[in-house]
């Protein structure tokens, strides 16, 4: 028995989860990303899905593992190796020290794509590149996006007291604006 009972059933489960994550412009028709005019998403929705994926340590562990050896099983007598083709993991040219997980893709319709996350000094960024002209371009552009984000933005902690003061000030300004 397969999860979802069929390709369509699994795609229905994916669509349900996408909706739960807040995706509003995503419709899956298959679980593997094969090109289909009805199989659609947006950069925003892919970022929402990646944000959910990186919440699990197992996703990041799998996504950042360069090689994995499958043990022998009842179907295969010998061990088998799997290599991660993501160049953030598999090459030194595009290795990115802050990379914590991602997924690449390619179809004739979408071009070379990637959605990935990076974490530096407590700040987590998610980047999406769709329609890149080559595999290398998607990595080059995403590294530029990550570097821009880390150079331009930072995360500040706000104490509950500070938040309450800002909240009270905002509510006061709104009430004053309405009254006027």
């Amino acid at each position: 028995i397969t999860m979802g009972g069929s390709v369509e059933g699994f795609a229905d489960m994916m669509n349900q989860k996408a909706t739960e994550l807040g995706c509003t412009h995503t419709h899956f028709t298959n679980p593997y990303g094969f090109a289909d005019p009805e199989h659609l998403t947006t950069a925003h929705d892919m970022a929402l899905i990646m944000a959910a994926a990186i919440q699990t340590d197992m996703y990041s562990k799998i996504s950042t593992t360069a090689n994995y050896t499958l043990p022998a099983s009842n179907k295969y007598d010998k061990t088998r190796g799997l290599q991660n083709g993501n160049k953030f993991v598999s090459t030194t040219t595009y290795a990115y020290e802050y990379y914590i997980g991602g997924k690449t893709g390619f179809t004739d319709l979408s071009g070379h794509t990637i959605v990935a996350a990076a974490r530096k000094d407590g700040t987590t960024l998610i980047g999406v590149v769709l329609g890149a002209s080559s595999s290398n371009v998607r990595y080059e552009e995403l590294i530029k996006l990550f570097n821009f984000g880390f150079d331009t933005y930072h995360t500040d902690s706000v104490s509950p007291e500070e938040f309450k003061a800002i909240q009270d000030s905002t509510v006061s300004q709104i009430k004053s604006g309405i009254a006027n």
Side-chain angles (χ1 to χ4, degrees), residues 4-83:
S6 66
V7 168
E8 296 79 13
F10 191 81
D12 289 343
M13 293 171 65
M14 292 171 62
N15 288 322
Q16 180 179 347
K17 185 65 175 181
T19 298
E20 290 171 16
L21 295 175
C23 299
T24 56
H25 294 93
T26 293
H27 181 263
F28 297 114
T29 60
N30 63 75
Y32 12 80
F34 286 169
D36 178 335
E38 301 291 317
H39 190 90
L40 305 168
T41 194
T42 63
H44 178 262
D45 286 359
M46 290 308 302
L48 292 174
I49 294 168
M50 180 55 61
I54 62 171
Q55 296 304 310
T56 63
D57 292 336
M58 183 59 74
Y59 178 81
S60 288
K61 181 178 178 180
I62 291 168
S63 189
T64 58
T65 298
N67 299 292
Y68 182 77
T69 302
L70 292 169
S73 70
N74 63 334
K75 299 280 185 184
Y76 297 94
D77 295 343
K78 298 178 182 176
T79 61
R80 293 172 291 146
L82 297 175
Q83 290 185 311

Side-chain angles (χ1 to χ4, degrees), residues 140-159:
E140 292 162 1
E141 294 304 311
L142 192 52
I143 289 170
K144 288 178 193 175
L145 286 170
F146 282 148
N147 288 340
F148 175 81
F150 287 131
D151 291 345
T152 307
Y153 302 98
H154 64 279
T155 301
D156 286 326
S157 297
V158 178
S159 71

Side-chain angles (χ1 to χ4, degrees), residues 51-122:
I54 62 171
Q55 296 304 310
T56 63
D57 292 336
M58 183 59 74
Y59 178 81
S60 288
K61 181 178 178 180
I62 291 168
S63 189
T64 58
T65 298
N67 299 292
Y68 182 77
T69 302
L70 292 169
S73 70
N74 63 334
K75 299 280 185 184
Y76 297 94
D77 295 343
K78 298 178 182 176
T79 61
R80 293 172 291 146
L82 297 175
Q83 290 185 311
N84 188 337
N86 184 319
K87 291 181 183 181
F88 279 141
V89 177
S90 67
T91 70
T92 54
T93 303
Y94 295 106
Y96 193 72
E97 70 178 299
Y98 307 114
Y99 173 78
I100 60 170
K103 176 68 179 91
T104 62
F106 173 81
T107 68
D108 288 337
L109 288 173
S110 66
H112 296 269
T113 65
I114 189 168
V115 56
R119 185 173 293 130
K120 178 182 177 185
D121 300 329

